Amino acid sequence: MTIIAIDGPAGSGKSTLAKNLARALGFVFLDTGAMYRALALAAQRAGIAPDDEARLTELAHQITLRFVAQNDSQRVLLGDEDVSDAIRTPEISDLASRISVYSGVRRAMVALQRALAAQAHGVVAEGRDTTTVVFPNATLKIYLDASPQERARRRQHQLQLQGIEEPYEKVLQEILERDARDLARADSPLRIAPDAVVVQNDGWTKEQTFEHVLALCRERLGQA
Ligand code: DC
């Protein structure tokens, strides 16, 4: 099985990159952040407090998550419900970041991620720990990075496209808080794997990032 694993902070463009790479390579796109978000949504609906580790862990073992291709995009199903849009609100971003600190939650999610990957011949996975914990033997590891200011501008634009208006300073503050949580958590903090290729994409378009990383993939896969 071939695995391209991409980690990096919030707003670095991992999702767009991973989605486009998966399409170009004919691989499955494993959006691990969407899985933590779907769990956050399920927890919110079940009225579970964000600090109730035991109940969150139990819930992580109970939920069924699937990705299904639809037209040109990929949808996330929680049970049989399409939650792809519901998991993209700022509230769920914040909640996902809080519940993903717990080891029990992470263990359940990592097991699910490996099981989903095992069904495919090729996978592009993205998240915070796919290069370090989930797929330590990935074929190619990318650490995608950009400055907090650049990432806040991108996130603000993305939210605008969803019809959500948020001031730049607030988006930047949220990015910095999520960075702090992702970096500081005891279990599987965001780290640059020693064998990862670091791609710093400040000032690059999505297309430039894609072309650059696609070339790295083809080189590693012997398709150059
Ligand atoms: O990449 P994202 O914004 O969709 O991720 C949502 C949250 O889940 C984010 O706060 C970090 C967390 N996450 C994680 O802890 N581990 C992953 N592999 C992916 C996401």
Side-chain angles (χ1 to χ4, degrees), residues 112-130:
L112 192 52
Q113 287 151 16
R114 290 182 181 149
L116 288 173
Q119 299 168 4
H121 80 282
V123 174
V124 181
E126 64 98 345
R128 303 294 188 288
D129 61 348
T130 67

Side-chain angles (χ1 to χ4, degrees), residues 63-66 77-81:
I63 58 171
T64 48
L65 289 177
R66 282 179 299 145
L77 299 192
L78 172 62
D80 288 326
E81 182 190 352

Side-chain angles (χ1 to χ4, degrees), residues 2 4 21 25 139-140 142 197 211-224:
T2 304
I4 312 292
L21 283 179
L25 297 168
T139 317
L140 175 66
I142 302 287
V197 180
E211 291 301 336
H212 181 81
V213 179
L214 181 63
L216 293 174
C217 291
R218 294 211 190 284
E219 197 179 288
R220 187 64 60 96
L221 298 175
Q223 300 175 350

Side-chain angles (χ1 to χ4, degrees), residues 43-60:
Q44 187 191 50
R45 287 176 174 177
I48 299 176
D51 60 354
D52 190 340
E53 180 171 4
R55 287 189 68 199
L56 289 168
T57 300
E58 198 182 331
L59 185 67

Side-chain angles (χ1 to χ4, degrees), residues 14 32-34 36-37 88 96-97 100 106 127-129 155 178 182 185:
K14 299 184 301 290
T32 64
Y36 286 95
R37 286 169 179 272
R88 297 290 161 198
S97 159
S100 58
R106 301 203 69 85
R128 303 294 188 288
D129 61 348
R155 191 62 100 189
R178 287 176 64 197
D182 286 347
R185 71 168 171 246

